[in-house]
Amino acid sequence: MRKNASILAVALTAVMFSGAAMAADNDPQKKKAADADSSQPVSDTWITTKVKSSLLADSDVAGTKIEVDTVDGVVFLTGNVESQAQVDEAKRIAAEIDGVGKVDTTKLKVSAQASR
């Protein structure tokens, strides 16, 4: 009998929590708040952080040697890299981030040591 009572208690708990979760999903105010969050513009700080982390995660780009600044959705990459291929890859990575309107690589230079 005790086993049946335990199973019943677990089943009732699951039903109660699933009902609460479904009620939250159907709450128009919560849905409206969730939709509002997703439609907010991406901030320059978020873009900069995302570009930096993406560069660091890419094995083909010397992410620690590239400085990233973002102003009004324009990403400015500054620093030295080992090859033009790294410039191109850094630009590609930055351009793929949500909210990026343009990527400026004019201050991203191929180092003189790499060209020897």
Side-chain angles (χ1 to χ4, degrees):
M1 192 70 177
R2 249 188 162 162
K3 185 176 180 182
N4 288 341
S6 296
I7 292 172
L8 181 60
V10 169
L12 285 174
T13 302
V15 168
M16 288 175 23
F17 282 115
S18 66
M22 288 184 347
D25 289 342
N26 293 328
D27 185 347
Q29 287 181 329
K30 288 184 181 179
K31 183 169 175 49
K32 189 181 268 188
D35 290 345
D37 288 345
S38 64
S39 65
Q40 290 184 359
V42 178
S43 74
D44 288 343
T45 302
W46 184 88
I47 292 171
T48 297
T49 302
K50 184 67 176 166
V51 171
K52 284 181 179 182
S53 64
S54 296
L55 291 174
L56 287 170
D58 190 281
S59 61
D60 295 332
V61 179
T64 57
K65 297 177 185 175
I66 299 174
E67 292 180 32
V68 180
D69 292 307
T70 307
V71 179
D72 296 329
V74 178
V75 174
F76 296 90
L77 302 178
T78 307
N80 294 309
V81 293
E82 296 174 1
S83 67
Q84 182 60 42
Q86 286 183 332
V87 172
D88 297 341
E89 182 70 359
K91 184 174 184 174
R92 182 194 65 75
I93 290 168
E96 290 181 352
I97 303 301
D98 286 341
V100 173
K102 180 181 173 185
V103 180
D104 183 327
T105 60
T106 57
K107 294 185 179 180
L108 193 57
K109 304 296 180 196
V110 176
S111 67
Q113 291 177 338
S115 61
R116 287 186 198 174

